[in-house]
């Protein structure tokens, strides 16, 4: 009769149901997160989206005024669309790589059209708006007054431009909606031609749920409706220009400062080695929590020697102890107790019948071959010590 060792389906399920349940929970959680993220993030600043944070409302209002809106998702398409009769809106400039920003700035610098940058930060203002610096601290106020001579801002009045604040070195720039002496709407005329660049500190005036607040709608329509065509550039991860085709070595891929970081780790390792390797000074006697009898210590060490078959060490310890006790009995200094030339003649003079050769074999001989020989060596050492004490 043979018994099969293969697991049944029930046994396999019993053993792996915990793992299966964990996988199902992970999948459910991933789907839930994807749904939530898609519901909250879908259509941000997208002129085709009717979501609260979309921008379909402003696109519809512009269409009523004869302004056409076209959405592009690549830098190449945005560069080709730039022209004197076009307003190019860059929704999230900070998503662009430095290479993309440089290419876009080169195309728009002499196009004669208008470029609108929505909430550009330090990552992008240096290339898309030379001479402009962005404050790392955003303003806490959302609604601000124009306080400038720009006609679009004066007609719109108060608007929700509060966000990133900008400062420029250009003398002919329009600095509007200031907060703590920094503009949240900045217009830079082109160095040549009729074009200009507008920086918005916040995207609120373009959002569906904020368009009817304050002068947001008026300001948005005037800024985006100055040309008959509006190109709405939404940066996309699928844009092939975002990737650098140049070959890079492993050291190029490492972040900047890795060499100094490695050097600091090396110095820390050396210091730690010196710290761990330092001397702790002389030994300090310490009172034991429990007093152990010497006989128990001796028996414990003997058991360890026996377990390890260390008859050589056991015999060496027995002979060393015997020589230490015999030396003062025959008048040999303790420093010479383990020297055969000093100890053996003194013992022979004390015990003339023992013979110096026999004493040398007993006190300085080879290790015993077995446990019986070790026991015999112990008995002979005890007998020698008793004989010396009686003589």
């Amino acid at each position: 009769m043979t018994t099969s060792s293969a697991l049944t389906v029930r046994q396999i399920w019993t053993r792996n149901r915990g793992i299966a349940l964990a996988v199902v929970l992970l999948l459910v959680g991933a789907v839930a997160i994807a749904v939530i993220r898609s519901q909250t993030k879908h259509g941000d600043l997208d002129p085709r989206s009717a979501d609260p944070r979309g921008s379909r409302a402003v696109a519809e209002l512009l269409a009523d005024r004869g302004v056409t809106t076209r959405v592009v998702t690549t830098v190449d398409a945005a560069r080709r669309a730039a022209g004197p009769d076009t307003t190019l809106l860059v929704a999230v400039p900070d998503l662009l790589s430095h290479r993309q920003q440089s290419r876009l700035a080169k195309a728009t610098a002499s196009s004669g059209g208008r470029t609108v940058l929505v909430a550009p930060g330090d990552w992008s203002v240096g290339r898309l708006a030379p001479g402009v610096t962005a404050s790392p601290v955003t303003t806490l106020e959302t609604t601000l007054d124009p306080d400038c001579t720009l006609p679009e801002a004066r007609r719109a009045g108060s608007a929700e431009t509060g966000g990133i604040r900008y400062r420029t070195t250009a003398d002919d720039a329009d600095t509007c909606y200031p907060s703590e002496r920094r503009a949240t709407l900045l217009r830079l005329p082109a160095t040549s031609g009729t074009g200009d660049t507008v920086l918005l500190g916040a995207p609120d005036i373009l959002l569906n749920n904020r368009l009817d607040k304050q002068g947001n709608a008026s300001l948005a329509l005037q800024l985006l409706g100055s040309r008959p065509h509006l190109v709405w550039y939404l940066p996309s991860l699928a844009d092939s220009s975002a990737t650098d085709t140049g070959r890079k070595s492993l050291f190029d891929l490492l972040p900047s400062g890795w060499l100094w970081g490695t050097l600091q780790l090396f110095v820390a390792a050396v210091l730690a080695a010196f710290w761990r390797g330092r001397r702790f000074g002389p030994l300090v006697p310490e009172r034991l929590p429990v007093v152990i009898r010497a006989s128990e210590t001796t028996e414990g060490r003997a058991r360890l020697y026996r377990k390890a078959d260390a008859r050589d060490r056991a015999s060496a310890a027995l002979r060393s102890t015997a020589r230490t006790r015999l030396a003062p009995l025959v008048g040999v200094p303790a420093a010479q107790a383990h020297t055969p030339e000093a100890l053996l003649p003194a013992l022979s003079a004390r015990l003339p019948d023992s013979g110096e050769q026999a004493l040398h074999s007993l006190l300085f001989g080879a290790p015993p071959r077995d446990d019986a020989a070790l026991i015999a060596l112990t008995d002979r050492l005890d007998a020698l010590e008793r004989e010396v004490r009686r003589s």
Side-chain angles (χ1 to χ4, degrees):
M1 180 178 178
T2 59
T3 302
S4 175
S5 60
L7 296 177
T8 64
V9 176
R10 183 180 182 86
Q11 290 174 328
I12 295 175
W13 166 249
T14 303
R15 292 188 178 186
N16 300 305
R17 59 186 177 185
I19 299 176
L21 180 60
V23 172
V24 171
L25 290 177
L26 287 175
L27 292 176
V28 172
V31 172
I33 293 174
V35 171
I36 293 174
R37 288 176 62 88
S38 64
Q39 290 177 352
T40 57
K41 296 296 183 180
H42 175 70
D44 282 13
L45 281 177
D46 192 330
R48 300 162 298 185
S49 173
D51 293 344
R53 297 191 59 82
S55 301
R56 183 175 177 179
V58 68
E60 294 289 345
L61 293 176
L62 288 171
D64 293 341
R65 288 161 175 75
V67 178
T68 61
T69 301
R70 181 164 64 96
V71 177
V72 297
T73 58
T74 64
V75 169
D76 292 337
R79 292 172 61 234
R80 288 193 299 267
D85 59 345
T86 301
T87 298
L88 175 63
L89 183 144
V90 184
V92 191
D94 286 356
L95 291 181
L96 300 176
S97 66
H98 284 169
R99 180 169 176 266
Q100 290 177 309
Q101 293 168 5
S102 299
R103 295 179 63 194
L104 187 62
K106 184 177 180 180
T108 58
S110 58
S111 65
R114 167 169 289 182
T115 303
V116 178
L117 307 176
V118 182
D122 284 334
W123 175 259
S124 53
V125 290
R127 288 172 173 79
L128 295 177
V132 177
T133 57
S135 174
V137 180
T138 59
T139 176
L140 298 178
E141 301 174 280
T142 57
T143 303
L144 299 171
D145 295 326
D147 197 15
C148 66
T149 58
L150 184 66
E152 294 92 330
R154 293 181 64 86
R155 287 192 292 266
S158 300
E160 296 180 339
T161 60
I164 301 177
R165 298 173 298 170
Y166 305 101
R167 179 176 292 174
T168 180
T169 56
D171 296 331
D172 55 349
D174 293 306
T175 56
C176 301
Y177 299 96
S179 173
E180 298 181 6
R181 294 180 297 180
R182 290 199 176 195
T184 58
L185 188 151
L186 183 64
R187 177 186 170 274
L188 300 171
T191 55
S192 62
T194 59
D196 59 6
T197 300
V198 177
L199 286 75
L200 285 175
D204 294 22
I205 66 171
L206 305 175
L207 302 179
N208 293 331
N209 62 343
R210 307 304 303 174
L211 194 62
D212 61 341
K213 309 297 181 182
Q214 306 296 330
N216 294 350
S218 175
L219 183 60
L221 294 177
Q222 292 182 81
L223 292 178
L224 303 183
S226 61
R227 271 77 172 174
H229 303 292
L230 171 62
V231 176
W232 202 294
Y233 175 31
L234 295 172
S236 171
L237 295 177
D239 189 355
S240 59
S241 64
T243 59
D244 189 359
T245 57
R247 295 179 61 86
K248 294 184 178 180
S249 65
L250 175 62
F251 294 100
D252 294 331
L253 297 176
L254 292 175
S256 59
W258 67 270
L259 181 60
W260 288 109
T262 305
L263 180 61
Q264 291 176 6
L265 291 176
F266 175 76
V267 173
V270 172
L271 293 177
F274 277 108
W275 170 63
R276 296 297 297 175
R278 74 190 191 283
R279 293 188 61 184
F280 291 98
L283 296 177
V284 178
E286 182 180 359
R287 295 185 61 183
L288 297 177
V290 179
V291 177
I292 302 176
R293 292 184 297 175
S295 60
E296 295 182 4
T297 304
T298 303
E299 292 176 1
R301 180 173 293 183
R303 292 191 187 96
L304 292 176
Y305 283 153
R306 182 177 182 181
K307 186 176 181 180
D309 288 333
R311 284 182 292 272
D312 52 346
R313 295 197 176 205
S315 61
L318 291 172
R319 284 168 168 161
S320 177
T321 304
R323 293 194 298 264
T324 302
R325 289 199 295 261
L326 289 172
L329 296 178
V330 296
V332 176
Q336 299 180 355
H338 307 291
T339 305
E341 293 79 6
L343 181 62
L344 294 179
L347 284 173
S348 298
R350 190 72 171 266
L351 303 172
D353 299 335
S354 298
E356 188 171 340
Q357 187 65 29
L359 292 174
H360 185 279
S361 176
L362 177 60
L363 294 173
F364 298 96
R369 294 186 300 272
D370 50 29
D371 292 345
L374 180 62
I375 295 173
L377 174 64
T378 304
D379 294 339
R380 290 173 61 194
L381 290 173
D382 289 341
L384 176 62
E385 185 176 350
R386 286 195 300 270
E387 187 177 356
V388 171
R389 289 182 183 278
R390 287 196 303 266
S391 62

